[in-house]
Structures are given as structure tokens and as C-alpha cells.
């Protein structure tokens, strides 16, 4: 394959990671359909995205902690919440890995496209429901984490937008939710990536290197932007972009039928 798709993949990864670490989600949700539209297959795209977000999630979490967006010291509520979400998410992502490798390709691609479209609509609708205040619940958060990690494992995206929104609606402060999400996502991605390596045995290391390089460059910058950007405006823009990405992916699947 020509070199330009990999260079474009690195650029797309940089942009998507900047958005994701600023808003707490959207990296895989944006990047997976973009790479899919470039001609890459989901079995090579998803593990590459998981590896890149494992590394950048750790970097972004450290940056969020250092800048005071979230307290991730061992023993803090945020650290415990990130650990619980990461641990519970490990189960969901492993189930998803098995589904990705055993279910019909068309079924997986259609689910991923519909999930991405739903995440976009969720973000747009979240502009109106974020103000709802409900009591914090460990059980509720854990259930959201399981669903989000299943989405992550089978499609590479859909984790952050669902998890951040669920935390905010459960009473967690927005900046804290972003920091918690990037750390818990790193744990989930580690388990998912190891699952693919053990089962799939081989995938596109060139693609993995390209998306990881782009994401690592942008991770520290995006953490700083959390303190300066208008989350409402960025979330609205991300919702529109994710909705368009899911629609484009569904269109490509329909045309290819």
C-alpha cells in the first residue's frame, strides 16, 4: 500500500486525539470510520487504535493530573473510579474482541457504524440533558463502563463519549470526568490490545505506529486546552462530526452491498 494513507492516518490520529483528550472521548469514534473510509479493515484498525490510546491515555491522564483538572493520586475517589471503570471495562472489551473476530464482518461493521451514529446523537442531545442532576452510583457507573468498553473493543470507539456523559449525568464534575475517562480507557485498551494480539496474532504494525505517533504528539496539548476551551462549543462540534462520520460509514456499507 502507498505511504500516503499511513501519513494521513497519523494526521487524523493527531486531530482526533486532541479532540478526545480535550473532551474525554471521541478518538476511536472519529478515527475508526475515517480509517475505514480510507480502505483499512476493522480487524487491523481496532487493535492499532487500542495500542495508540493505551499510550496516549497514560500521557493525557498524567497531564490532566498535573494541570489540576483531576486528582489521580492513589486513594483519591477519582483514582478509585478510574480503576473500577478500567477493571469492569476489561470484561466488556474481551467479550467484544471475541465478537469482532467471530461475527460476520458485515454485522460488525454495521453495528460499529450505528454505534458511532448513536454516539454523535447522544453528544448533541447531551447539550440539553447535561444539566440533569442525579445521585452518584457506583453500580450505574460500572454498567455504563461495561457497555462503553464493549463498544471500544468491537469498534475501537464509543467509549469516551458514553463514559464522560454517564459520569456527568451521575454527578461527577466535567473536568474530573475527562481525566478519569482517559485513565480508565488506557486500562481498557491494554486488555483489549492484548486480547487481539493473543487471538489475532498479527495486524498492521505500520498503521499502529502511524496512529500512535500522531496521538502522542497531541495528548499533552489537549490536556492544557481543557482549562481554556469552551467544552459546550467543542462538544457540539464533536457531536456533529461524529454523527456525520457514522452516516458516511453506513453509506459506504450500503453502497458496497
Amino acid at each position: 500500500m502507498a505511504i500516503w494513507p499511513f501519513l494521513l492516518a497519523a494526521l487524523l490520529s493527531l486531530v482526533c486525539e486532541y479532540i478526545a483528550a480535550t473532551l474525554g472521548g471521541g478518538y476511536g469514534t472519529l478515527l475508526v470510520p475515517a480509517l475505514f473510509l480510507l480502505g483499512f479493515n476493522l480487524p487491523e484498525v481496532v487493535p492499532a487504535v487500542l495500542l495508540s490510546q493505551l499510550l496516549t491515555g497514560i500521557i493525557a491522564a498524567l497531564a490532566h493530573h498535573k494541570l489540576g483538572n483531576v486528582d489521580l493520586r492513589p486513594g483519591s475517589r477519582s483514582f478509585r473510579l478510574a480503576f473500577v471503570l478500567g477493571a469492569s471495562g476489561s470484561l466488556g472489551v474481551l467479550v467484544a474482541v471475541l465478537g469482532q473476530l467471530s461475527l460476520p464482518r458485515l454485522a460488525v461493521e454495521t453495528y460499529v457504524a450505528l454505534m458511532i451514529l448513536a454516539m454523535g446523537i447522544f453528544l448533541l442531545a447531551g447539550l440539553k440533558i447535561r444539566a440533569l442532576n442525579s445521585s452518584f452510583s457506583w453500580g450505574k457507573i460500572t454498567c455504563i463502563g461495561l457497555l462503553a468498553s464493549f463498544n471500544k473493543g468491537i469498534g475501537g470507539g464509543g467509549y469516551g463519549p458514553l463514559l464522560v456523559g454517564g459520569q456527568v449525568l451521575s454527578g461527577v464534575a466535567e473536568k474530573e470526568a475527562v481525566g478519569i475517562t482517559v485513565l480508565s480507557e488506557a486500562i481498557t485498551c491494554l486488555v483489549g490490545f492484548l486480547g487481539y494480539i493473543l487471538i489475532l496474532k498479527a495486524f498492521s504494525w505500520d498503521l499502529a505506529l502511524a496512529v500512535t505517533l500522531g496521538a502522542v504528539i497531541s495528548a499533552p496539548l489537549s490536556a492544557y486546552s481543557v482549562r481554556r476551551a469552551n467544552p459546550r462549543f467543542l462538544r457540539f462540534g464533536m457531536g456533529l462530526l461524529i454523527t456525520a462520520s457514522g452516516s458516511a460509514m453506513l453509506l459506504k456499507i450500503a453502497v458496497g452491498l
Side-chain angles (χ1 to χ4, degrees):
M1 184 175 290
I3 191 64
W4 73 264
F6 294 95
L7 294 177
L8 184 56
L11 178 60
L12 288 171
S13 177
L14 188 153
V15 174
C16 291
E17 175 58 26
Y18 179 83
I19 295 174
T22 300
L23 299 175
Y27 175 68
T29 313
L30 290 171
L31 186 58
V32 169
L35 294 177
F36 178 76
L37 294 173
L38 282 176
F40 293 100
N41 296 319
L42 283 181
E44 61 181 345
V45 167
V46 176
V49 169
L50 292 175
L51 176 60
S52 66
Q53 202 151 24
L54 161 62
L55 299 176
T56 55
I58 295 173
I59 295 173
L62 292 173
H64 279 292
H65 175 76
K66 185 175 181 179
L67 291 171
N69 295 328
V70 63
D71 180 8
L72 292 176
R73 291 176 299 177
S76 67
R77 190 189 77 157
S78 295
F79 181 84
R80 288 186 287 114
L81 183 53
F83 181 80
V84 168
L85 289 171
S88 62
S90 297
L91 175 61
V93 77
L94 285 177
V95 171
V97 169
L98 295 176
Q100 167 71 266
L101 300 175
S102 60
L103 294 174
R105 177 178 171 182
L106 179 61
V108 173
E109 291 178 351
T110 301
Y111 169 79
V112 172
L114 289 173
M115 178 266 293
I116 290 171
L117 180 61
M119 288 303 102
I121 296 174
F122 171 82
L123 283 173
L124 293 175
L127 292 171
K128 296 182 179 180
I129 65 177
R130 277 176 56 213
L132 295 177
N133 186 22
S134 58
S135 60
F136 177 83
S137 167
W138 284 97
K140 184 192 308 181
I141 288 294
T142 301
C143 290
I144 294 173
L146 286 170
L147 176 59
S149 62
F150 178 83
N151 289 345
K152 188 70 177 178
I154 201 167
Y159 184 93
L162 179 58
L163 204 57
V164 168
Q167 288 181 81
V168 171
L169 293 176
S170 297
V172 179
E174 185 174 81
K175 290 184 179 181
E176 183 183 4
V178 170
I180 291 170
T181 297
V182 293
L183 179 56
S184 64
E185 191 163 19
I187 299 172
T188 301
C189 288
L190 171 61
V191 176
F193 177 72
L194 292 177
Y196 272 102
I197 288 296
L198 293 175
I199 298 174
L200 193 61
K201 305 297 184 182
F203 66 100
S204 176
W205 284 102
D206 290 337
L207 179 61
L209 178 61
V211 297
T212 299
L213 178 62
V216 166
I217 293 174
S218 69
L221 300 175
S222 54
Y224 177 75
S225 296
V226 168
R227 306 181 68 183
R228 303 181 63 87
N230 184 329
R232 183 179 177 86
F233 175 77
L234 291 177
R235 188 175 294 273
F236 177 74
M238 191 173 98
L240 289 177
L241 185 57
I242 290 176
T243 301
S245 297
S247 300
M249 194 171 180
L250 280 175
L251 180 61
K252 181 179 179 181
I253 293 171
V255 170
L257 291 179

